[in-house]
Amino acid sequence: RAKAEGKDTYRYFEASMGAEARDKRVMEHDLRQAVARNEFRLVYQPQKEISTGKMIGFEALIRWRHPERGDVPPAVFIPVAEDSGAIVQIGDWVMATACEEAARWKNPLTIAVNVSAVQLHNPNFSRKVHEVLLRSGLAPGRLELEITETALVKDMPRALATLRQVKALGVRVAMDDFGTGYSSLSNLRAFPFDKIKIDGSFIKSVDSNGQVAAIVRAVLGLGRGLGLPVLAEGVETLGELKFLDAEACEIGQGYYLGRPSPIETFGELTGVTAPVIQDEDARHRSGS
Ligand code: C2E
Ligand code: MG
Ligand code: MG
Ligand code: MG
């Protein structure tokens, strides 16, 4: 639903060129200015050890509030930013902001950052990660890069070289959205992943749908065989969580365990208290 709203807000041209193409051009233009105009922020979603409920870390998720159009979901603007190349600048901002914020937390929780294909194939990527780690002072082992298989297929040798470079820094890498897109079991062998994230579409109704359950069990077996912990995305109900616990899935993430929220929400764990101006809308109105 949010996806459709974000898309519709951009449909303000009606012409033969095609509304889609025009929407995209306008959005590309707006995205190029969005970092400088402070329109992005990060929210953080808990990742928890399922057997104990213990907090392990957070995934950083970008949010874009357009001054006129309001919130535009990442599923809408990330693909546009990838096509135009703006994702490199946006991705740099995400990496720097997430690492700088995490370095200040009072507990050494992990911070997972999404990396798109375009970023990964940029020749400076591992150097930039190294610089951000040095500047922020974040222990490399606390940073986890989330990479989808789609990001690997464009240029596999290059992707492998880059993953090896970031791993040499002590950074960990997780395969995101496993089971969707270009999933191939050979990718698990060819690339040095530290974790498998099962896509949320396989967790929905895992406790009531036998076919979905069979797939999730198979992925858990794969993780065990390869010695990789498995994280289940999109855990929305207690029933799903109980199934995953019974099947010894290591880590969970989803609305049932915690929604993506501003970091102040987790002040007890991070020690980060509310900023002076708490109200997001007030901040945007004042233009700061
Ligand atoms: P993702 O990396 O697979 O992130 C998980 C998405 O699932 C997030 O959507 C999250 O809010 C949502 N989610 C979490 N728990 C649940 C649940 O229980 N149920 C349901 N239905 N959804 C849940 P979000 O934040 O809208 O992000 C969508 C995608 O956009 C991400 O998928 C990721 O591919 C991309 N993205 C988000 N932030 C960034 C970023 O900083 N950089 C890049 N390159 N991509 C990003
Ligand atoms: Mg992710
Ligand atoms: Mg995912
Ligand atoms: Mg995804």
Side-chain angles (χ1 to χ4, degrees):
R1 205 176 345 109
K3 203 180 215 166
E5 276 167 23
K7 243 180 184 149
D8 289 344
T9 59
Y10 267 93
R11 195 151 293 150
Y12 46 79
F13 281 99
E14 292 293 336
S16 56
M17 175 185 180
E20 291 271 336
R22 280 175 178 272
D23 289 347
K24 203 179 148 189
R25 277 224 218 140
V26 174
M27 198 191 288
E28 280 176 1
H29 171 265
D30 291 351
L31 280 169
R32 271 197 295 274
Q33 306 181 315
V35 170
R37 294 185 175 181
N38 266 310
E39 291 169 10
F40 293 118
R41 66 195 166 89
L42 295 179
V43 289
Y44 294 86
Q45 185 175 33
Q47 300 182 330
K48 293 181 175 173
E49 187 175 75
I50 290 178
S51 61
T52 61
K54 188 177 159 249
M55 186 81 101
I56 294 174
F58 296 102
E59 177 176 5
L61 295 160
I62 194 168
R63 294 293 177 263
W64 182 24
R65 181 164 292 179
H66 188 286
E68 285 103 40
R69 322 210 172 275
D71 293 327
V72 185
V76 172
F77 74 81
I78 292 285
V80 177
E82 287 175 335
D83 280 356
S84 73
I87 191 68
V88 175
Q89 190 202 11
I90 295 169
D92 288 349
W93 177 86
V94 171
M95 188 76 69
T97 305
C99 292
E100 282 162 18
E101 292 192 359
R104 291 197 290 262
W105 299 343
K106 68 179 180 187
N107 287 306
L109 300 159
T110 63
I111 176 70
V113 173
N114 292 285
V115 173
S116 90
V118 182
Q119 288 175 271
L120 191 70
H121 291 93
N122 186 305
N124 294 323
F125 181 73
S126 60
R127 184 180 56 73
K128 287 200 275 194
V129 172
H130 192 200
E131 282 173 9
V132 167
L133 289 170
L134 292 176
R135 216 177 322 125
S136 65
L138 186 77
R142 289 180 56 198
L143 177 63
E144 186 163 273
L145 305 180
E146 295 197 359
I147 295 162
T148 63
E149 286 170 279
T150 319
L152 304 174
V153 295
K154 211 178 83 185
D155 180 348
M156 292 219 182
R158 160 77 68 85
L160 181 58
T162 304
L163 289 194
R164 284 185 174 147
Q165 285 164 359
V166 294
K167 294 246 346 179
L169 300 171
V171 171
R172 290 181 296 157
V173 288
M175 180 178 276
D176 204 354
D177 300 350
F178 186 71
T180 65
Y182 290 86
S183 282
S184 156
L185 297 180
S186 64
N187 288 338
L188 280 174
R189 202 181 58 164
F191 294 94
F193 284 102
D194 299 290
K195 186 182 286 176
I196 300 171
K197 294 190 76 174
I198 313 181
D199 192 70
S201 58
F202 296 104
I203 306 307
K204 195 173 167 56
S205 310
V206 71
D207 53 329
S208 57
N209 181 323
Q211 283 182 314
V212 176
I215 292 168
V216 171
R217 279 196 196 95
V219 177
L220 292 169
L222 199 57
R224 270 191 289 277
L226 295 169
L228 300 178
V230 176
L231 180 152
E233 300 192 87
V235 181
E236 292 186 350
T237 68
L238 177 61
E240 291 162 3
L241 186 66
K242 280 184 170 165
F243 174 94
L244 293 164
D245 192 22
E247 298 294 332
C249 179
E250 287 87 352
I251 309 162
Q253 179 181 348
Y255 296 161
Y256 186 79
L257 297 166
R259 295 216 167 227
S261 311
I263 197 61
E264 300 82 52
T265 313
F266 309 104
E268 235 163 83
L269 278 161
T270 62
V272 181
T273 51
V276 180
I277 301 170
Q278 275 178 277
D279 175 18
E280 275 296 318
D281 296 319
R283 202 162 85 200
H284 282 278
R285 275 197 302 275
S286 71
S288 59

